[in-house]
Amino acid sequence: MTAVDDFLATTGDVIAQIWTAATTPVDPPSQAVVLAAGLAALAVVLVTPVWRVARHVVTIAHEGAHAVAAMVTGRRLDGIRLHSDTSGLTVSAGRPRGFGMIVTAFAGYVGPGLTGLGAAWLLRQGYAVGLLWLLVLLLALLLLKIRNWFGLWSVLVSGAALVAVSWWLEPPAQSAVAYAVTWFLLLGSVRPVFELQAQRSRGRARRSDADQLAALTRTTGMVWVVAFLLVTLGCLVLGATWIVEPATPA
């Protein structure tokens, strides 16, 4: 019982420390750091060899958004697969047509941008460290639905990196990382939409989210590509406005 008591006490102390860090507002970094984080994220998105690796993070957010939308609309989430070519697949069960299926299909490409927008809002309130721990929690929940080894590895590596930053770095460094991650989600949500349309124009994405939505709504895939672009660009503009402005510590 002593060992169990010690384990429970240690676990309780760790959770208390995490909760305190996550719920305590921190001062925002300087504007120079915020802009530098944005430029670094932009470079990651624009430099193709780097983007091919970093895009896995966007895929995680993409498939996670499909999963959340499926559950919110009453569909049964069966599993998520993440592949080494940065593609992914979220499988849910329910009606093959209707509102739930439309929302689930639409959520993927706009998911990273909406996640970035939510992250930007938290940064504006001063909860940079809280954002990092929230992302860790979301990855842990996502892990429960991963159904392949590469997906498991991808989510674990992302989560471990965030835990390392959130636990061992000092608050100024944590805040800088939180801003960089947020910038990347906002900026990185736009490029996949252009990549999608490039693939569609070459006839290589016949089962894309846009084309599934077109079949569900009797429209064209291009309508949905434009919708994805408008939402992601809107998130980028609004999110950038929020994080460039000074955060407001409570």
Side-chain angles (χ1 to χ4, degrees), residues 211-237:
D211 292 287
Q212 290 183 50
L213 284 163
L216 289 167
T217 58
R218 298 181 182 180
T219 56
T220 65
M222 192 63 196
V223 168
W224 294 101
V225 172
V226 172
F228 295 155
L229 186 60
L230 289 175
V231 174
T232 53
L233 286 175
C235 290
L236 172 58
V237 171

Side-chain angles (χ1 to χ4, degrees), residues 130-152:
L131 167 62
L132 296 175
W133 282 115
L134 177 60
L135 292 175
V136 170
L137 176 60
L138 292 175
L139 288 172
L141 294 174
L142 185 67
L143 197 62
L144 299 176
K145 288 297 182 178
I146 296 296
R147 295 294 182 263
N148 67 325
W149 286 110
F150 183 84
L152 182 69

Side-chain angles (χ1 to χ4, degrees), residues 93-170:
R95 291 181 57 195
R97 305 187 68 86
F99 178 75
M101 190 62 200
I102 292 171
V103 172
T104 300
F106 183 74
Y109 277 95
V110 302
L114 291 173
T115 303
L117 186 62
W121 184 84
L122 285 174
L123 293 180
R124 195 181 188 195
Q125 311 309 310
Y127 294 106
V129 180
L131 167 62
L132 296 175
W133 282 115
L134 177 60
L135 292 175
V136 170
L137 176 60
L138 292 175
L139 288 172
L141 294 174
L142 185 67
L143 197 62
L144 299 176
K145 288 297 182 178
I146 296 296
R147 295 294 182 263
N148 67 325
W149 286 110
F150 183 84
L152 182 69
W153 176 86
S154 183
V155 174
L156 281 175
V157 168
S158 301
L162 287 173
V163 168
V165 169
S166 305
W167 187 258
W168 282 294
L169 294 188
E170 295 298 319

Side-chain angles (χ1 to χ4, degrees), residues 56 59-71 76-83 87-92 104 138-155:
H56 289 291
T59 301
I60 290 172
H62 179 117
E63 299 303 329
H66 278 314
V68 170
M71 291 186 293
R76 187 184 76 245
L77 179 62
D78 289 336
I80 301 169
R81 291 178 176 270
L82 305 171
H83 304 132
S87 65
L89 177 66
T90 298
V91 179
S92 63
T104 300
L138 292 175
L139 288 172
L141 294 174
L142 185 67
L143 197 62
L144 299 176
K145 288 297 182 178
I146 296 296
R147 295 294 182 263
N148 67 325
W149 286 110
F150 183 84
L152 182 69
W153 176 86
S154 183
V155 174

Side-chain angles (χ1 to χ4, degrees), residues 32-47:
V33 171
V34 173
L35 295 176
L39 289 174
L42 181 62
V44 169
V45 172
L46 293 180
V47 179

